[in-house]
PDB file of all heavy atoms in Angstrom:
ATOM      1  N   LEU A  88      -3.331   3.392  17.832  1.00 98.00           N
ATOM      2  CA  LEU A  88      -3.957   2.132  18.218  1.00 98.00           C
ATOM      3  C   LEU A  88      -2.922   1.015  18.284  1.00 98.00           C
ATOM      4  O   LEU A  88      -3.012   0.113  19.115  1.00 98.00           O
ATOM      5  CB  LEU A  88      -5.057   1.739  17.232  1.00 98.00           C
ATOM      6  CG  LEU A  88      -6.128   2.789  16.934  1.00 98.00           C
ATOM      7  CD1 LEU A  88      -7.241   2.165  16.095  1.00 98.00           C
ATOM      8  CD2 LEU A  88      -6.694   3.378  18.210  1.00 98.00           C
ATOM      9  N   ARG A  89      -1.965   1.068  17.366  1.00 98.00           N
ATOM     10  CA  ARG A  89      -0.802   0.188  17.339  1.00 98.00           C
ATOM     11  C   ARG A  89       0.385   1.038  16.931  1.00 98.00           C
ATOM     12  O   ARG A  89       0.238   2.214  16.611  1.00 98.00           O
ATOM     13  CB  ARG A  89      -0.984  -0.961  16.322  1.00 98.00           C
ATOM     14  CG  ARG A  89      -2.140  -1.861  16.584  1.00 98.00           C
ATOM     15  CD  ARG A  89      -2.137  -3.138  15.753  1.00 98.00           C
ATOM     16  NE  ARG A  89      -1.525  -3.063  14.440  1.00 98.00           N
ATOM     17  CZ  ARG A  89      -1.624  -4.006  13.495  1.00 98.00           C
ATOM     18  NH1 ARG A  89      -2.345  -5.093  13.737  1.00 98.00           N
ATOM     19  NH2 ARG A  89      -1.036  -3.877  12.326  1.00 98.00           N
ATOM     20  N   GLU A  90       1.538   0.441  16.921  1.00 98.00           N
ATOM     21  CA  GLU A  90       2.726   1.176  16.481  1.00 98.00           C
ATOM     22  C   GLU A  90       2.607   1.638  15.035  1.00 98.00           C
ATOM     23  O   GLU A  90       3.255   2.613  14.632  1.00 98.00           O
ATOM     24  CB  GLU A  90       3.976   0.291  16.630  1.00 98.00           C
ATOM     25  CG  GLU A  90       4.154  -0.349  18.003  1.00 98.00           C
ATOM     26  CD  GLU A  90       4.557   0.652  19.063  1.00 98.00           C
ATOM     27  OE1 GLU A  90       4.684   1.848  18.756  1.00 98.00           O
ATOM     28  OE2 GLU A  90       4.742   0.237  20.229  1.00 98.00           O
ATOM     29  N   ASP A  91       1.760   0.961  14.251  1.00 98.00           N
ATOM     30  CA  ASP A  91       1.629   1.273  12.831  1.00 98.00           C
ATOM     31  C   ASP A  91       0.216   1.682  12.427  1.00 98.00           C
ATOM     32  O   ASP A  91      -0.107   1.723  11.247  1.00 98.00           O
ATOM     33  CB  ASP A  91       2.071   0.074  11.984  1.00 98.00           C
ATOM     34  CG  ASP A  91       1.308  -1.200  12.338  1.00 98.00           C
ATOM     35  OD1 ASP A  91       0.524  -1.183  13.308  1.00 98.00           O
ATOM     36  OD2 ASP A  91       1.502  -2.213  11.651  1.00 98.00           O
ATOM     37  N   VAL A  92      -0.644   1.978  13.402  1.00 98.00           N
ATOM     38  CA  VAL A  92      -2.019   2.385  13.104  1.00 98.00           C
ATOM     39  C   VAL A  92      -2.353   3.654  13.889  1.00 98.00           C
ATOM     40  O   VAL A  92      -2.273   3.674  15.115  1.00 98.00           O
ATOM     41  CB  VAL A  92      -3.032   1.284  13.457  1.00 98.00           C
ATOM     42  CG1 VAL A  92      -4.450   1.757  13.162  1.00 98.00           C
ATOM     43  CG2 VAL A  92      -2.736   0.000  12.689  1.00 98.00           C
ATOM     44  N   VAL A 120      -1.616   2.060  22.357  1.00 98.00           N
ATOM     45  CA  VAL A 120      -0.218   1.868  22.754  1.00 98.00           C
ATOM     46  C   VAL A 120       0.292   3.202  23.294  1.00 98.00           C
ATOM     47  O   VAL A 120      -0.197   4.266  22.916  1.00 98.00           O
ATOM     48  CB  VAL A 120       0.675   1.403  21.587  1.00 98.00           C
ATOM     49  CG1 VAL A 120       0.272   0.025  21.104  1.00 98.00           C
ATOM     50  CG2 VAL A 120       0.649   2.406  20.433  1.00 98.00           C
ATOM     51  N   THR A 135       5.763   6.687  17.653  1.00 98.00           N
ATOM     52  CA  THR A 135       5.621   5.301  18.072  1.00 98.00           C
ATOM     53  C   THR A 135       6.903   4.584  17.665  1.00 98.00           C
ATOM     54  O   THR A 135       7.860   5.218  17.191  1.00 98.00           O
ATOM     55  CB  THR A 135       4.412   4.631  17.396  1.00 98.00           C
ATOM     56  OG1 THR A 135       4.703   4.403  16.000  1.00 98.00           O
ATOM     57  CG2 THR A 135       3.161   5.492  17.521  1.00 98.00           C
ATOM     58  N   ALA A 136       6.921   3.290  17.791  1.00 98.00           N
ATOM     59  CA  ALA A 136       8.103   2.537  17.376  1.00 98.00           C
ATOM     60  C   ALA A 136       8.297   2.563  15.866  1.00 98.00           C
ATOM     61  O   ALA A 136       9.390   2.263  15.372  1.00 98.00           O
ATOM     62  CB  ALA A 136       7.997   1.090  17.866  1.00 98.00           C
ATOM     63  N   LYS A 137       7.247   2.969  15.115  1.00 98.00           N
ATOM     64  CA  LYS A 137       7.347   2.928  13.657  1.00 98.00           C
ATOM     65  C   LYS A 137       7.064   4.257  12.967  1.00 98.00           C
ATOM     66  O   LYS A 137       7.415   4.419  11.793  1.00 98.00           O
ATOM     67  CB  LYS A 137       6.393   1.861  13.102  1.00 98.00           C
ATOM     68  CG  LYS A 137       6.749   0.440  13.523  1.00 98.00           C
ATOM     69  CD  LYS A 137       5.843  -0.588  12.868  1.00 98.00           C
ATOM     70  CE  LYS A 137       6.272  -2.002  13.242  1.00 98.00           C
ATOM     71  NZ  LYS A 137       5.421  -3.037  12.607  1.00 98.00           N
ATOM     72  N   LEU A 138       6.440   5.201  13.654  1.00 98.00           N
ATOM     73  CA  LEU A 138       5.990   6.415  12.988  1.00 98.00           C
ATOM     74  C   LEU A 138       6.276   7.655  13.818  1.00 98.00           C
ATOM     75  O   LEU A 138       6.275   7.610  15.056  1.00 98.00           O
ATOM     76  CB  LEU A 138       4.481   6.345  12.715  1.00 98.00           C
ATOM     77  CG  LEU A 138       3.994   5.268  11.758  1.00 98.00           C
ATOM     78  CD1 LEU A 138       2.472   5.214  11.765  1.00 98.00           C
ATOM     79  CD2 LEU A 138       4.520   5.496  10.348  1.00 98.00           C
TER      80      LEU A 138
END
Side-chain angles (χ1 to χ4, degrees):
L88 308 188
R89 299 192 330 192
E90 308 288 1
D91 56 354
V92 179
V120 295
T135 72
K137 295 184 177 181
L138 296 172

